[in-house]
Every structure is written in structure tokens, then in C-alpha cells.
Amino acid sequence: MTAQIIDGLATAKRIKSGIAEHAADMKIRQGGIVPGLAVVLVGDDPASQVYVRNKNRSCEEVGFRSYSHTLPSSTTELDLLGLITELNANPQINGILIQLPLPDHINEHTIINAIDPIKDVDGFHPVNVGRHMTGLMSLTPCTPTGCMILLNEVTQDLGGKKALVVGRSNIVGKPMALMLLQANCTVTIAHSRTQDLAEECRQADILVAALGRPNFIKGEWIKEGALVIDVGINRITDPETGKNKLAGDVEFSAACERAAAITPVPGGVGPMTIACLMQNTLQATMMQNGWGW
Ligand code: NDP
């Protein structure tokens, strides 16, 4: 079997174009409302700087306002909390995103908890996590939301399928497992203490790899006909060219021989994460303007 390549770039483009139309319509019909996203970066991590630039660029593409706050790595927790209080109170700001990871002296949970849940476009606040878990309307984490959209591109019928999520982080693995459960899959979560990962993979009709280890999931572990979503973004040195390149968590070429469909890295889940951030910012704007939740 040669796998269908699930094109995250094309899907993300289509979603962003729909968001742009919706935003333009909202501006005309609803008294000039323009969604505003504040992106806060603390420190000078180069990868984070790239992510922040991409988020700002996407805001422009869909017609949102973006507000960048770049703070030095010496910023105190109190200073950051002060900024979040201002952003919570600012009616121009509909979404607040704090780029992770934060410097070690700042407690991530304290910061996430300080964001007004209705502006929490990352979907990390415990109120959103709890609402999501109990099936209430919520802002949901962008990466797993994007993964679900990609799965729905290739099948409408996830019900009863065996799904394996490798990784149990709060931002990817756990919400991903919940979304697959809500789509009626039978879900297993694997992690670093899992006894026989290869065997777990062999049983999975749907495999989501989010462990952050390049090419860790071997092609031969993939069940024939499985749907494979590779969340991993790992920077490696290409042994042939000696240049840096991105690799996923799944051994791509070998997996293509067995999977029915698979996402590439890059060009799979990555673009969907940003598209879903735009989607969440639009949703947050609508909720703040009378849609309720
Ligand atoms: P974390 O480091 O927070 O979590 C990694 C998870 O993988 C942990 O639960 C860990 O288990 C598990 N794990 C690590 N090693 C193994 C192993 N050998 N076998 C089984 N499980 C293992 O990572 P994130 O969830 O934040 O990110 C995962 C990957 O996804 C990274 O490559 C990241 O760059 C990428 N990513 C991509 C995004 C995108 O937009 N495409 C967005 C966010 C992340 P344990 O809990 O036991 O330690």
C-alpha cells in the first residue's frame, strides 16, 4: 500500500480563507468588529520567535489585528501577570496567547490560570480543559483540533476504530485522546513508560505520534491501512547533506508503505495548528460579542 499524503498546507489554506471571509463579513455586519490576537513572547528563543512571526503573519492573512509583546527573559512573573491583566481588560484583544515555553523562573500554570478563559485561544486554561472534558462548548487546543480536521479529511467514520496516541502532554497528547474518544474511538494513550510501544502501534487503526523523538515510530510497527498523524517537529541534521531539516516522530518513507494515509513533516499538522489558532480567535471574538457559551 502506498499512503495518501494528507496535505495540511492545503487544508490550512482553505480553513484560513473561510475565516477571512467570515471576519470580513463580521466587520461589515457587526459594527466594525475586527478580531484581535495578542501574542506574548518572553525571552529570545529562536524557534519561538519563528512561531510568533508566523502567527502574526496569519493574523494579517485573515484580516485580524495582531498585537506583539516581546519581553526580555528577565521579565518577572509579576510583570507578566500585570500584562495579562491589561490584555484581559482590553476590549480590542479577543485572544491572548503566551508563547511556551516560558523561562524557568515563571510558573506556566500561574500564567495560564491568569488568562481570562474566554480569551484563552490556546485552550489551556483549566476552565476550558474542564468544559472540553465534560462536552461543553469551549476553546480547544489548536494542535489536536487540527489533527482531528486532518483525520476528517480522509474519513468520516472514526467510530469504533482503535486509536493510539503516543504522548500525554497537556497541550497535545491528552486533549488529542479526548477528541478521539469524543469521536467514538477506542483510545489508548502511550507514554515513556509504555511496555511495548511497537505492539500498541501494530493494533492501531489510527495512530497519532506526539512524542518529540525523530523517526522513533518505525514503519514496520504501523498497522496495514492505518491513518497516521505525525505531530512531531524535530530539527535534525540530514545525514546525506549535513544540513538541518525537520523530521517527524514517524519513519515517514517506511510508514508510507503500510499506512492508508499519513501527514508529512513539514506540511502536515504544523500549518493546521496556526489555522486552528485563527479559528479559536474568531470563535473567542464571537463569544465575547454575544454568542455566549
Ligand atoms: P512533551 O515533551 O511535552 O511530551 C512528550 C510525550 O511523549 C510525553 O508524554 C512522553 O512521555 C512521551 N514520550 C517521550 N518519549 C517516549 C517514548 N520513547 N515512548 C513513548 N512515549 C514517549 O511534547 P509535546 O506534547 O509538547 O510535543 C510533542 C511533539 O509534537 C514535539 O516534537 C513537538 O515539537 C511537536 N509539536 C508540534 C506541534 C505542531 O504544531 N505540529 C505543536 C506542539 C508540539 P512521559 O509523559 O512519560 O514523559
Side-chain angles (χ1 to χ4, degrees), residues 51 143 166-173 190-194 197 209-213 216 230-234 247 249 268-274:
Y51 293 139
T143 300
V166 187
R168 56 173 164 181
S169 70
N170 288 336
I171 66 173
V172 187
H191 44 78
S192 65
R193 305 286 186 88
T194 296
L197 184 61
L211 60 160
R213 292 177 184 261
F216 194 88
D230 192 347
V231 182
I233 299 182
N234 309 287
D249 288 344
V269 176
M272 290 301 293
T273 296
I274 297 199

Side-chain angles (χ1 to χ4, degrees), residues 47-81:
S48 294
Q49 286 171 341
V50 172
Y51 293 139
V52 167
R53 266 201 304 277
N54 289 343
K55 285 165 188 172
N56 291 335
R57 197 175 307 135
S58 282
C59 280
E60 267 175 41
E61 272 171 48
V62 299
F64 294 177
R65 292 198 181 103
S66 68
Y67 303 83
S68 275
H69 296 264
T70 306
L71 310 176
S73 49
S74 57
T75 301
T76 65
E77 192 172 288
L78 209 58
D79 288 340
L80 186 54
L81 287 171

